Amino acid sequence: MSARLIDLLLQLAPRERLLLGALFGIILPLGIVLGLLLPLQEQQKAALNARTEAVALNLWVQDKVGELERLARTPDAGPRAPIGTSGIEQALIDAGLRGDVAELSGDADGVVDLRFDRVRFTQVMGWLSETAPTWGYDVTQFRFEAIRSPGDVAASLTLTPQVN
């Protein structure tokens, strides 16, 4: 096999041998690069992206576990007396949300209706998560609607006094 290849190469002119050598000198390395190294580089990028996403997910899970542990340490005193519309209004003032309230009303049964025409979603949810454990109400109805401004919502809540 190699003897026939050598005979074939010896029959070629020096220029043809040089051209054939250059061709193999370029095609072979190029084939290795395109066939082996580039796919490995793409796999490495995909693996690094997957690792980054896994680390971010791990951090998020750790944050949620910490939050759950904090909530578990909070003593559950059971149902509390409702703070009323004035207490809710004061909590809204403390959170800087009073100016965003479109409606805050209560009825004779102690049911409170709260409506925001435009409010930052993160701000109202932060207020709810801080206030809800101590205010003596259960959220029986809620509605959040996205509006044109990113991050803003129209929100309405119906709060019913907790049953003792």
Side-chain angles (χ1 to χ4, degrees), residues 18 71 81 90 104 126 138:
L18 184 63
L71 290 175
Q90 185 58 48
L104 175 61
D138 289 324

Side-chain angles (χ1 to χ4, degrees), residues 117-147:
D117 289 336
R118 180 182 183 160
V119 66
R120 296 293 297 171
F121 178 76
T122 54
Q123 194 173 9
V124 75
M125 290 309 294
W127 171 76
L128 274 174
S129 64
E130 287 178 17
T131 309
T134 61
W135 66 3
Y137 289 97
D138 289 324
V139 179
T140 53
Q141 293 180 352
F142 65 91
R143 181 180 183 135
F144 292 97
E145 294 180 41
I147 56 177

Side-chain angles (χ1 to χ4, degrees), residues 82-101:
I83 60 175
T85 55
S86 62
I88 292 173
E89 185 171 17
Q90 185 58 48
L92 288 164
I93 292 169
D94 293 342
L97 288 170
R98 182 58 182 110
D100 297 324
V101 174

